[in-house]
Amino acid sequence: MTVRPAVLDDETALAELDRRTWSTLHAVQPRPQPPYDPFFTLRNRVEHILVAELAGSPVGYLRLVPPSPLACNAHVRQIQGLAVDERVRGKGVARALLGAAYQEARRQGATRMTLRVLGHNTPARRLYASEGFAVEGVLPGEFLLEGEYVDDVLMGRPLDR
């Protein structure tokens, strides 16, 4: 498996991966319906995506962005999306993407990384905690998903290791 920056030619494969992995376990947007929106947009830019590739095919991606345009916040990078094909879950794809994200964030001059994860997404929360992320805040009942109120959990970690 390799992790690399996304290229425009990844559009179709990443869009399909995004649709296949959609779940209320991690998504607050409604399930995608045809006609599908493009994967790469002005908000979801190709240069913000890292792709995990196995045997020449994308099996996961991570979106890494500055959390705001403010200069006083320029030392932070935020994960705003991580997806792994269920056929390869548990095989280190997410950890490889996180490792590449730490390297890329440091290369960009970041000293801190943050993310938001839904409170009921126990597998993701365990993964992030094992990677050194700590819960830094909780917005109780922030989202109503399938009739249930779900917390929005804010997590962060330093990039000094």
Side-chain angles (χ1 to χ4, degrees):
M1 178 183 49
T2 60
V3 177
R4 60 170 175 77
V7 295
L8 288 175
D9 285 345
D10 292 324
E11 170 85 33
T12 301
L14 292 178
E16 289 172 3
L17 175 64
D18 205 44
R19 288 191 293 272
R20 276 196 320 274
T21 60
W22 184 94
S23 165
T24 56
L25 192 61
H26 60 80
V28 295
Q29 296 292 331
R31 180 182 295 278
Q33 300 293 324
Y36 298 117
D37 293 330
F39 184 81
F40 295 124
T41 63
L42 288 176
R43 183 178 178 276
N44 195 44
R45 298 183 352 212
V46 66
E47 63 267 24
H48 292 158
I49 306 295
L50 295 170
V51 175
E53 192 174 65
L54 187 62
S57 296
V59 293
Y61 74 83
L62 183 146
R63 180 171 180 255
L64 182 68
V65 299
S68 80
L70 300 171
C72 61
N73 193 220
H75 65 288
V76 180
R77 287 298 174 273
Q78 189 169 68
I79 296 170
Q80 291 185 356
L82 177 101
V84 174
D85 191 313
E86 66 182 40
R87 296 173 290 188
V88 295
R89 287 195 186 141
K91 298 190 186 305
V93 175
R95 284 190 197 281
L97 284 163
L98 288 168
Y102 307 148
Q103 282 187 306
E104 177 59 19
R106 285 187 200 103
R107 188 192 68 75
Q108 294 176 15
T111 59
R112 177 172 158 67
M113 187 168 290
T114 63
L115 59 85
R116 296 167 69 169
V117 61
L118 294 175
H120 66 270
N121 192 342
T122 304
R125 291 181 65 185
R126 281 190 189 129
L127 169 68
Y128 297 137
S130 75
E131 286 284 319
F133 285 87
V135 173
E136 298 179 341
V138 177
L139 301 173
E142 186 73 2
F143 300 106
L144 180 62
L145 302 174
E146 296 184 329
E148 300 287 329
Y149 290 102
V150 178
D151 297 347
D152 189 9
V153 179
L154 313 174
M155 299 181 82
R157 64 161 279 179
L159 290 172
D160 58 1
R161 48 185 155 128

Coordinates of all heavy atoms in Angstrom, one line a residue, residues 3-98:
V3 N 0.6 5.7 0.1 CA -0.2 6.9 0.3 C 0.5 8.0 -0.5 O 1.7 8.2 -0.5 CB -0.3 7.3 1.8 CG1 -1.1 8.6 1.9 CG2 -0.9 6.2 2.6
R4 N -0.4 8.7 -1.3 CA 0.1 9.7 -2.2 C -0.9 10.9 -2.3 O -2.0 10.7 -1.9 CB 0.3 9.2 -3.6 CG -1.0 8.6 -4.2 CD -0.8 8.2 -5.6 NE -2.0 7.6 -6.1 CZ -3.2 8.2 -6.5 NH1 -3.3 9.5 -6.3 NH2 -4.2 7.5 -6.9
P5 N -0.4 12.0 -2.8 CA -1.4 13.1 -3.0 C -2.4 12.7 -4.1 O -2.0 12.0 -5.0 CB -0.5 14.3 -3.5 CG 0.9 13.9 -3.0 CD 1.0 12.4 -3.0
A6 N -3.6 13.2 -4.0 CA -4.6 12.9 -5.0 C -4.2 13.7 -6.3 O -3.5 14.7 -6.3 CB -6.0 13.4 -4.5
V7 N -4.7 13.1 -7.4 CA -4.6 13.8 -8.7 C -6.1 13.8 -9.3 O -6.9 13.1 -8.9 CB -3.7 13.0 -9.7 CG1 -2.2 13.1 -9.1 CG2 -4.1 11.6 -9.9
L8 N -6.2 14.7 -10.3 CA -7.6 14.8 -10.8 C -8.1 13.5 -11.4 O -9.3 13.3 -11.4 CB -7.6 15.9 -11.9 CG -7.4 17.4 -11.4 CD1 -7.3 18.3 -12.6 CD2 -8.6 17.7 -10.5
D9 N -7.3 12.7 -11.9 CA -7.7 11.4 -12.4 C -8.3 10.5 -11.3 O -8.9 9.4 -11.7 CB -6.6 10.6 -13.1 CG -6.3 11.2 -14.5 OD1 -7.1 12.0 -15.0 OD2 -5.2 10.9 -15.0
D10 N -8.2 10.8 -10.0 CA -8.8 10.0 -9.0 C -10.3 10.3 -8.8 O -10.9 9.6 -8.0 CB -8.1 10.3 -7.6 CG -6.7 9.8 -7.6 OD1 -6.4 8.7 -8.1 OD2 -5.8 10.5 -7.0
E11 N -10.8 11.3 -9.5 CA -12.2 11.8 -9.3 C -13.2 10.7 -9.2 O -13.9 10.5 -8.2 CB -12.5 12.8 -10.4 CG -14.0 13.1 -10.5 CD -14.4 14.3 -9.6 OE1 -13.5 15.2 -9.4 OE2 -15.5 14.3 -9.0
T12 N -13.3 9.8 -10.2 CA -14.3 8.8 -10.3 C -14.1 7.8 -9.2 O -15.1 7.4 -8.5 CB -14.3 8.1 -11.7 OG1 -14.5 9.1 -12.7 CG2 -15.3 7.0 -11.8
A13 N -12.9 7.3 -9.0 CA -12.7 6.3 -7.9 C -13.0 6.8 -6.5 O -13.6 6.1 -5.7 CB -11.3 5.8 -8.0
L14 N -12.6 8.1 -6.3 CA -12.8 8.6 -4.9 C -14.3 8.9 -4.7 O -14.9 8.7 -3.6 CB -12.0 9.9 -4.7 CG -10.5 9.6 -4.6 CD1 -9.8 11.0 -4.5 CD2 -10.2 8.7 -3.5
A15 N -15.0 9.4 -5.8 CA -16.5 9.6 -5.7 C -17.2 8.3 -5.4 O -18.1 8.2 -4.5 CB -17.0 10.2 -7.0
E16 N -16.8 7.2 -6.1 CA -17.4 5.9 -5.8 C -17.1 5.4 -4.4 O -18.0 4.9 -3.7 CB -17.0 4.9 -6.9 CG -17.5 5.2 -8.2 CD -16.9 4.3 -9.3 OE1 -16.1 3.4 -9.1 OE2 -17.3 4.5 -10.5
L17 N -15.8 5.6 -4.0 CA -15.4 5.2 -2.6 C -16.3 5.9 -1.6 O -16.7 5.4 -0.6 CB -13.9 5.4 -2.4 CG -13.4 5.1 -1.0 CD1 -13.5 3.7 -0.6 CD2 -11.9 5.6 -0.9
D18 N -16.4 7.2 -1.8 CA -17.2 8.1 -0.9 C -18.6 7.6 -0.8 O -19.1 7.5 0.3 CB -17.1 9.5 -1.4 CG -17.3 10.5 -0.3 OD1 -16.7 10.4 0.8 OD2 -18.1 11.5 -0.5
R19 N -19.2 7.3 -1.9 CA -20.6 6.8 -1.9 C -20.7 5.4 -1.2 O -21.6 5.2 -0.4 CB -21.2 6.7 -3.3 CG -21.5 8.1 -3.9 CD -22.3 8.0 -5.1 NE -21.6 7.4 -6.2 CZ -20.8 8.0 -7.1 NH1 -20.6 9.3 -7.0 NH2 -20.2 7.4 -8.1
R20 N -19.7 4.5 -1.5 CA -19.8 3.2 -0.8 C -19.6 3.2 0.7 O -20.1 2.4 1.4 CB -18.7 2.3 -1.4 CG -19.0 1.6 -2.7 CD -18.0 0.5 -3.0 NE -16.6 0.7 -2.7 CZ -15.8 1.3 -3.6 NH1 -16.1 1.7 -4.7 NH2 -14.5 1.4 -3.2
T21 N -18.8 4.2 1.1 CA -18.5 4.2 2.6 C -19.5 5.1 3.4 O -19.3 5.2 4.6 CB -17.1 4.7 2.8 OG1 -16.9 6.0 2.3 CG2 -16.1 3.7 2.2
W22 N -20.4 5.7 2.7 CA -21.3 6.6 3.4 C -22.1 5.9 4.5 O -22.5 4.8 4.3 CB -22.4 7.2 2.4 CG -23.3 8.2 3.1 CD1 -23.1 9.6 3.1 CD2 -24.4 8.0 3.8 NE1 -24.1 10.2 3.9 CE2 -24.9 9.2 4.3 CE3 -25.1 6.8 4.2 CZ2 -26.1 9.3 5.1 CZ3 -26.3 6.9 5.0 CH2 -26.7 8.1 5.4
S23 N -22.2 6.5 5.7 CA -22.9 5.9 6.8 C -23.2 7.0 7.8 O -22.4 8.0 7.9 CB -22.0 4.9 7.4 OG -22.5 4.5 8.7
T24 N -24.3 6.9 8.5 CA -24.6 7.9 9.6 C -23.6 7.7 10.8 O -23.7 8.5 11.7 CB -26.1 7.8 10.1 OG1 -26.3 6.4 10.5 CG2 -27.0 8.2 9.0
L25 N -22.8 6.7 10.7 CA -21.8 6.5 11.7 C -20.8 7.7 11.7 O -20.2 8.1 12.7 CB -21.0 5.2 11.6 CG -20.1 4.8 12.7 CD1 -20.9 4.6 14.0 CD2 -19.4 3.5 12.3
H26 N -20.6 8.3 10.5 CA -19.6 9.4 10.3 C -20.1 10.5 9.5 O -19.5 11.6 9.4 CB -18.3 8.9 9.7 CG -18.4 8.2 8.4 ND1 -18.5 8.9 7.3 CD2 -18.5 6.9 8.1 CE1 -18.7 8.1 6.2 NE2 -18.7 6.9 6.7
A27 N -21.2 10.4 8.8 CA -21.7 11.4 7.8 C -22.9 12.2 8.4 O -23.8 11.6 9.0 CB -22.1 10.8 6.5
V28 N -22.9 13.5 8.3 CA -24.0 14.3 8.7 C -24.8 14.8 7.5 O -25.9 15.3 7.7 CB -23.6 15.5 9.6 CG1 -23.0 15.0 10.9 CG2 -22.6 16.4 8.9
Q29 N -24.3 14.6 6.3 CA -25.0 15.0 5.1 C -25.9 13.8 4.7 O -25.6 12.7 5.1 CB -24.0 15.3 4.0 CG -23.1 16.5 4.2 CD -23.9 17.8 4.2 OE1 -24.9 17.9 3.5 NE2 -23.4 18.7 4.9
P30 N -27.0 14.1 4.0 CA -27.9 13.0 3.6 C -27.1 12.0 2.6 O -26.1 12.4 2.0 CB -29.0 13.7 2.8 CG -28.9 15.1 3.2 CD -27.5 15.4 3.6
R31 N -27.6 10.8 2.5 CA -27.0 9.8 1.6 C -27.0 10.4 0.2 O -28.0 10.9 -0.3 CB -27.8 8.5 1.7 CG -27.3 7.4 0.7 CD -28.2 6.2 0.7 NE -28.2 5.5 2.0 CZ -27.2 4.7 2.5 NH1 -26.2 4.4 1.7 NH2 -27.3 4.1 3.6
P32 N -25.9 10.3 -0.5 CA -25.8 10.8 -1.9 C -26.8 10.1 -2.8 O -27.0 8.9 -2.7 CB -24.4 10.5 -2.3 CG -23.6 10.2 -1.0 CD -24.6 9.7 0.0
Q33 N -27.4 10.9 -3.6 CA -28.4 10.3 -4.6 C -28.1 10.8 -6.0 O -27.5 11.9 -6.1 CB -29.8 10.8 -4.2 CG -30.3 10.4 -2.9 CD -30.5 8.9 -2.7 OE1 -31.0 8.3 -3.7 NE2 -30.2 8.3 -1.6
P34 N -28.4 10.1 -7.0 CA -28.1 10.5 -8.4 C -29.0 11.7 -8.7 O -30.1 11.8 -8.1 CB -28.5 9.3 -9.2 CG -28.6 8.2 -8.3 CD -28.9 8.7 -7.0
P35 N -28.6 12.7 -9.5 CA -27.2 12.7 -10.1 C -26.2 13.1 -9.0 O -26.5 14.1 -8.3 CB -27.4 13.8 -11.2 CG -28.5 14.7 -10.7 CD -29.4 13.8 -9.9
Y36 N -25.1 12.4 -9.0 CA -24.1 12.7 -8.0 C -23.3 13.9 -8.2 O -23.0 14.3 -9.4 CB -23.1 11.5 -7.9 CG -23.8 10.2 -7.5 CD1 -23.9 9.1 -8.4 CD2 -24.5 10.1 -6.2 CE1 -24.5 8.0 -8.0 CE2 -25.1 8.9 -5.9 CZ -25.1 7.8 -6.8 OH -25.8 6.7 -6.4
D37 N -23.0 14.6 -7.2 CA -22.1 15.8 -7.2 C -20.6 15.3 -7.5 O -20.3 14.2 -7.1 CB -22.1 16.6 -5.9 CG -23.4 17.2 -5.7 OD1 -24.1 17.6 -6.6 OD2 -23.8 17.4 -4.5
P38 N -19.8 16.1 -8.1 CA -18.4 15.7 -8.3 C -17.7 15.6 -6.9 O -18.1 16.2 -6.0 CB -17.8 16.9 -9.1 CG -18.7 18.0 -9.0 CD -20.1 17.4 -8.6
F39 N -16.7 14.8 -6.9 CA -15.9 14.6 -5.7 C -15.1 15.9 -5.4 O -15.1 16.4 -4.3 CB -15.0 13.4 -5.7 CG -14.3 13.1 -4.5 CD1 -14.9 12.5 -3.4 CD2 -13.0 13.5 -4.3 CE1 -14.2 12.3 -2.2 CE2 -12.3 13.3 -3.1 CZ -12.9 12.7 -2.0
F40 N -14.3 16.3 -6.4 CA -13.5 17.5 -6.3 C -14.4 18.7 -6.6 O -15.1 18.8 -7.6 CB -12.3 17.5 -7.2 CG -11.3 16.4 -6.9 CD1 -11.0 15.4 -7.9 CD2 -10.8 16.3 -5.7 CE1 -10.1 14.4 -7.6 CE2 -9.9 15.2 -5.4 CZ -9.5 14.3 -6.3
T41 N -14.3 19.7 -5.6 CA -15.1 20.9 -5.7 C -14.2 22.1 -5.3 O -13.1 21.8 -4.8 CB -16.4 20.9 -4.8 OG1 -15.9 20.7 -3.5 CG2 -17.3 19.7 -5.2
L42 N -14.7 23.3 -5.3 CA -14.0 24.4 -4.7 C -13.7 24.2 -3.3 O -12.6 24.7 -2.8 CB -14.7 25.7 -4.9 CG -14.8 26.2 -6.4 CD1 -15.7 27.5 -6.5 CD2 -13.4 26.5 -6.9
R43 N -14.5 23.5 -2.5 CA -14.3 23.3 -1.1 C -13.5 22.0 -0.9 O -12.7 22.0 0.0 CB -15.7 23.1 -0.4 CG -15.5 23.0 1.1 CD -16.9 22.9 1.8 NE -16.7 22.6 3.2 CZ -16.5 21.4 3.8 NH1 -16.5 20.4 3.0 NH2 -16.3 21.3 5.1
N44 N -13.7 21.0 -1.7 CA -13.0 19.7 -1.6 C -12.0 19.6 -2.7 O -12.2 18.9 -3.7 CB -14.1 18.6 -1.7 CG -13.5 17.3 -1.2 OD1 -12.9 17.2 -0.1 ND2 -13.8 16.2 -1.9
R45 N -10.9 20.3 -2.5 CA -9.9 20.5 -3.6 C -8.9 19.3 -3.6 O -8.6 18.7 -2.6 CB -9.2 21.8 -3.4 CG -10.2 23.0 -3.5 CD -9.6 24.4 -3.4 NE -8.2 24.6 -3.0 CZ -7.8 25.6 -2.3 NH1 -8.6 26.5 -1.9 NH2 -6.5 25.7 -2.1
V46 N -8.5 19.0 -4.8 CA -7.6 17.9 -5.1 C -6.3 18.0 -4.2 O -5.8 17.0 -3.7 CB -7.2 17.8 -6.6 CG1 -6.4 18.9 -7.1 CG2 -6.5 16.5 -6.8
E47 N -5.8 19.2 -4.0 CA -4.6 19.4 -3.2 C -4.7 19.2 -1.7 O -3.7 19.1 -1.0 CB -3.9 20.8 -3.5 CG -4.8 21.9 -3.1 CD -5.7 22.5 -4.2 OE1 -6.0 21.8 -5.1 OE2 -6.0 23.7 -4.1
H48 N -6.0 19.0 -1.3 CA -6.2 18.7 0.1 C -6.4 17.2 0.4 O -6.6 16.8 1.6 CB -7.4 19.5 0.6 CG -7.2 20.9 0.7 ND1 -8.3 21.8 0.6 CD2 -6.1 21.7 0.7 CE1 -7.8 23.1 0.7 NE2 -6.5 23.0 0.7
I49 N -6.3 16.4 -0.6 CA -6.7 15.0 -0.4 C -5.4 14.1 -0.5 O -4.6 14.2 -1.4 CB -7.7 14.5 -1.5 CG1 -8.9 15.4 -1.5 CG2 -8.0 13.0 -1.3 CD1 -9.8 15.4 -0.3
L50 N -5.3 13.2 0.5 CA -4.3 12.1 0.4 C -5.0 10.8 0.1 O -6.1 10.6 0.6 CB -3.5 12.0 1.7 CG -2.7 13.2 2.2 CD1 -2.3 13.1 3.6 CD2 -1.5 13.4 1.2
V51 N -4.4 10.0 -0.8 CA -5.1 8.8 -1.2 C -4.2 7.6 -0.8 O -3.0 7.6 -1.0 CB -5.2 8.8 -2.8 CG1 -5.8 7.5 -3.3 CG2 -6.1 10.0 -3.2
A52 N -4.9 6.6 -0.2 CA -4.2 5.3 0.0 C -4.6 4.4 -1.2 O -5.7 4.3 -1.5 CB -4.8 4.7 1.3
E53 N -3.5 3.8 -1.7 CA -3.7 3.0 -2.9 C -3.2 1.6 -2.7 O -2.1 1.4 -2.1 CB -2.9 3.7 -4.0 CG -3.2 3.2 -5.4 CD -2.5 4.1 -6.4 OE1 -1.2 4.1 -6.5 OE2 -3.2 4.7 -7.2
L54 N -3.9 0.6 -3.1 CA -3.5 -0.8 -3.0 C -3.7 -1.4 -4.4 O -4.8 -1.3 -5.0 CB -4.4 -1.5 -2.0 CG -4.0 -2.9 -1.6 CD1 -2.6 -2.9 -1.0 CD2 -5.0 -3.4 -0.6
A55 N -2.7 -2.0 -4.9 CA -2.7 -2.6 -6.3 C -3.2 -1.7 -7.3 O -4.0 -2.1 -8.2 CB -3.5 -3.9 -6.2
G56 N -2.8 -0.4 -7.2 CA -3.2 0.6 -8.2 C -4.5 1.2 -8.1 O -4.9 2.0 -8.9
S57 N -5.3 0.8 -7.1 CA -6.6 1.4 -6.9 C -6.8 2.1 -5.5 O -6.3 1.6 -4.5 CB -7.7 0.3 -6.9 OG -7.7 -0.4 -8.2
P58 N -7.4 3.2 -5.5 CA -7.7 3.9 -4.2 C -8.5 3.1 -3.3 O -9.6 2.6 -3.7 CB -8.4 5.2 -4.6 CG -8.0 5.5 -6.0 CD -7.9 4.1 -6.6
V59 N -8.1 2.9 -2.1 CA -8.8 2.2 -1.0 C -9.2 3.1 0.2 O -9.8 2.6 1.1 CB -8.1 0.9 -0.6 CG1 -8.0 -0.1 -1.7 CG2 -6.7 1.2 0.0
G60 N -8.7 4.3 0.1 CA -9.0 5.2 1.2 C -8.5 6.6 0.9 O -7.7 6.8 -0.1
Y61 N -9.1 7.6 1.6 CA -8.6 9.0 1.4 C -8.7 9.7 2.7 O -9.5 9.3 3.6 CB -9.3 9.7 0.3 CG -10.7 10.1 0.6 CD1 -11.0 11.3 1.3 CD2 -11.8 9.3 0.3 CE1 -12.3 11.6 1.7 CE2 -13.1 9.6 0.6 CZ -13.3 10.8 1.3 OH -14.6 11.2 1.6
L62 N -8.0 10.8 2.8 CA -8.0 11.7 4.0 C -8.0 13.1 3.4 O -7.2 13.4 2.6 CB -6.8 11.4 4.9 CG -6.8 12.3 6.2 CD1 -6.2 11.4 7.3 CD2 -6.0 13.6 6.0
R63 N -8.9 14.0 4.0 CA -8.9 15.4 3.6 C -8.3 16.2 4.7 O -8.7 16.2 5.8 CB -10.3 15.8 3.3 CG -10.5 17.3 2.9 CD -11.9 17.6 2.5 NE -12.0 19.0 2.1 CZ -12.6 19.9 2.9 NH1 -13.1 19.6 4.0 NH2 -12.7 21.1 2.4
L64 N -7.2 16.9 4.4 CA -6.4 17.7 5.3 C -6.4 19.1 4.9 O -6.0 19.5 3.8 CB -5.0 17.2 5.4 CG -4.0 17.8 6.3 CD1 -4.4 17.5 7.8 CD2 -2.6 17.4 6.1
V65 N -6.9 20.0 5.8 CA -7.1 21.4 5.4 C -6.7 22.3 6.6 O -6.8 22.0 7.7 CB -8.6 21.7 5.0 CG1 -9.0 20.9 3.8 CG2 -9.5 21.5 6.1
P66 N -6.4 23.6 6.2 CA -6.4 24.6 7.3 C -7.8 24.8 7.8 O -8.7 24.9 7.0 CB -5.9 25.9 6.6 CG -5.3 25.4 5.3 CD -6.1 24.1 4.9
P67 N -8.0 24.9 9.1 CA -9.3 25.0 9.7 C -10.0 26.3 9.4 O -11.2 26.5 9.5 CB -9.2 24.7 11.2 CG -7.7 25.0 11.5 CD -7.0 24.7 10.2
S68 N -9.2 27.4 9.1 CA -9.7 28.7 8.9 C -8.7 29.5 8.0 O -7.5 29.0 8.0 CB -10.0 29.4 10.2 OG -8.8 30.0 10.7
P69 N -9.1 30.6 7.5 CA -8.1 31.4 6.7 C -7.3 32.4 7.6 O -6.5 33.1 7.1 CB -9.0 32.1 5.7 CG -10.3 32.3 6.4 CD -10.4 31.0 7.3
L70 N -7.5 32.3 8.9 CA -6.9 33.3 9.8 C -5.4 33.0 10.0 O -5.0 31.8 10.2 CB -7.6 33.2 11.2 CG -9.1 33.6 11.2 CD1 -9.7 33.3 12.5 CD2 -9.3 35.0 10.7
A71 N -4.6 34.0 9.9 CA -3.1 33.8 10.1 C -2.8 33.3 11.5 O -1.9 32.5 11.7 CB -2.4 35.2 9.9
C72 N -3.6 33.7 12.5 CA -3.4 33.2 13.9 C -3.7 31.7 14.1 O -3.4 31.2 15.1 CB -4.1 34.1 14.9 SG -5.9 34.0 14.7
N73 N -4.3 31.1 13.1 CA -4.7 29.7 13.1 C -3.9 28.9 12.1 O -4.1 27.7 11.9 CB -6.2 29.6 12.8 CG -6.8 28.3 13.1 OD1 -7.7 27.9 12.3 ND2 -6.5 27.7 14.2
A74 N -2.9 29.5 11.5 CA -2.1 28.9 10.4 C -1.3 27.7 10.8 O -0.8 26.9 10.0 CB -1.2 29.9 9.7
H75 N -1.0 27.5 12.1 CA -0.2 26.5 12.7 C -1.0 25.2 12.9 O -0.5 24.1 13.3 CB 0.4 26.9 14.0 CG -0.6 27.1 15.1 ND1 -1.4 28.2 15.1 CD2 -0.9 26.3 16.1 CE1 -2.2 28.1 16.1 NE2 -1.9 27.0 16.8
V76 N -2.3 25.2 12.5 CA -3.2 24.0 12.7 C -3.6 23.5 11.4 O -3.9 24.2 10.4 CB -4.4 24.4 13.5 CG1 -5.4 23.2 13.8 CG2 -4.0 25.1 14.9
R77 N -3.7 22.1 11.3 CA -4.3 21.5 10.2 C -5.4 20.6 10.7 O -5.3 20.1 11.8 CB -3.3 20.6 9.4 CG -2.4 21.4 8.5 CD -3.1 22.2 7.5 NE -2.2 23.1 6.7 CZ -1.8 24.3 7.1 NH1 -2.2 24.8 8.3 NH2 -1.0 25.0 6.4
Q78 N -6.5 20.5 10.0 CA -7.7 19.7 10.4 C -8.0 18.6 9.4 O -8.0 18.8 8.2 CB -8.9 20.7 10.6 CG -10.1 20.0 11.2 CD -11.1 21.0 11.6 OE1 -11.7 21.6 10.7 NE2 -11.3 21.3 12.9
I79 N -8.3 17.5 10.0 CA -8.8 16.4 9.2 C -10.3 16.6 9.0 O -11.0 16.7 10.0 CB -8.5 15.0 9.9 CG1 -7.0 14.8 9.9 CG2 -9.2 13.9 9.1 CD1 -6.6 13.6 10.8
Q80 N -10.7 16.7 7.8 CA -12.2 16.9 7.5 C -12.7 15.9 6.6 O -13.3 16.1 5.6 CB -12.4 18.3 6.9 CG -12.2 19.4 7.9 CD -12.5 20.8 7.4 OE1 -12.9 21.0 6.2 NE2 -12.4 21.8 8.2
G81 N -12.3 14.6 6.9 CA -12.8 13.5 6.1 C -11.8 12.4 6.1 O -10.6 12.7 5.8
L82 N -12.2 11.2 6.4 CA -11.3 10.0 6.3 C -12.2 8.9 5.9 O -13.2 8.7 6.6 CB -10.6 9.8 7.6 CG -9.7 8.5 7.6 CD1 -8.3 8.9 7.4 CD2 -9.9 7.8 8.9
A83 N -11.9 8.2 4.9 CA -12.8 7.1 4.4 C -11.8 5.9 4.0 O -10.8 6.1 3.4 CB -13.7 7.5 3.3
V84 N -12.2 4.7 4.4 CA -11.5 3.5 4.0 C -12.5 2.5 3.5 O -13.5 2.2 4.2 CB -10.7 2.9 5.2 CG1 -10.1 1.6 4.9 CG2 -9.7 3.9 5.7
D85 N -12.2 1.9 2.4 CA -13.1 0.9 1.8 C -13.2 -0.3 2.8 O -12.2 -0.7 3.4 CB -12.4 0.3 0.5 CG -13.3 -0.5 -0.3 OD1 -13.9 -1.4 0.3 OD2 -13.4 -0.3 -1.5
E86 N -14.4 -0.7 3.0 CA -14.7 -1.7 4.1 C -14.0 -3.0 3.8 O -13.7 -3.8 4.7 CB -16.2 -1.9 4.3 CG -16.9 -2.5 3.1 CD -18.4 -2.7 3.4 OE1 -19.0 -1.8 4.0 OE2 -19.0 -3.7 3.0
R87 N -13.6 -3.3 2.5 CA -12.9 -4.5 2.2 C -11.5 -4.6 2.7 O -10.9 -5.6 2.8 CB -12.9 -4.7 0.7 CG -14.3 -4.9 0.1 CD -14.3 -4.9 -1.4 NE -14.0 -3.5 -1.9 CZ -14.0 -3.1 -3.1 NH1 -14.3 -4.0 -4.1 NH2 -13.7 -1.9 -3.5
V88 N -10.9 -3.4 3.1 CA -9.6 -3.4 3.6 C -9.5 -2.8 5.0 O -8.4 -2.5 5.5 CB -8.6 -2.6 2.6 CG1 -8.5 -3.4 1.3 CG2 -9.0 -1.2 2.4
R89 N -10.6 -2.6 5.7 CA -10.6 -2.1 7.0 C -9.9 -3.1 7.9 O -10.0 -4.3 7.8 CB -12.0 -1.8 7.5 CG -12.6 -0.6 6.9 CD -13.8 -0.1 7.5 NE -14.4 1.0 6.7 CZ -15.6 1.2 6.5 NH1 -16.5 0.5 7.1 NH2 -16.0 2.2 5.8
G90 N -9.2 -2.5 8.9 CA -8.4 -3.3 9.8 C -7.0 -3.7 9.3 O -6.3 -4.5 10.0
K91 N -6.7 -3.2 8.2 CA -5.4 -3.6 7.6 C -4.4 -2.4 7.6 O -3.4 -2.4 6.8 CB -5.6 -4.1 6.1 CG -6.5 -5.3 6.1 CD -6.5 -5.9 4.7 CE -7.4 -7.1 4.6 NZ -7.3 -8.2 5.5
G92 N -4.6 -1.4 8.4 CA -3.7 -0.3 8.6 C -3.8 0.9 7.6 O -3.0 1.8 7.6
V93 N -4.9 0.9 6.8 CA -5.0 1.9 5.8 C -5.2 3.3 6.5 O -4.6 4.3 6.2 CB -6.2 1.6 4.8 CG1 -6.5 2.8 3.9 CG2 -5.9 0.4 4.0
A94 N -6.1 3.3 7.5 CA -6.4 4.6 8.2 C -5.1 5.1 8.9 O -4.8 6.3 8.9 CB -7.5 4.4 9.2
R95 N -4.4 4.2 9.5 CA -3.1 4.6 10.2 C -2.1 5.1 9.2 O -1.4 6.1 9.5 CB -2.6 3.4 11.0 CG -3.3 3.2 12.3 CD -2.5 2.2 13.2 NE -3.4 1.7 14.2 CZ -3.8 2.3 15.3 NH1 -3.3 3.5 15.5 NH2 -4.6 1.8 16.1
A96 N -2.0 4.5 8.0 CA -1.1 5.0 7.0 C -1.5 6.4 6.5 O -0.7 7.2 6.3 CB -1.1 4.0 5.8
L97 N -2.8 6.6 6.3 CA -3.3 7.9 5.9 C -3.0 9.0 7.0 O -2.6 10.1 6.7 CB -4.8 7.9 5.6 CG -5.2 7.2 4.3 CD1 -6.6 6.9 4.3 CD2 -4.8 8.2 3.2
L98 N -3.2 8.6 8.3 CA -2.9 9.5 9.4 C -1.4 9.8 9.4 O -1.0 11.0 9.6 CB -3.4 8.9 10.7 CG -4.9 8.9 10.9 CD1 -5.3 8.1 12.1 CD2 -5.5 10.3 11.1

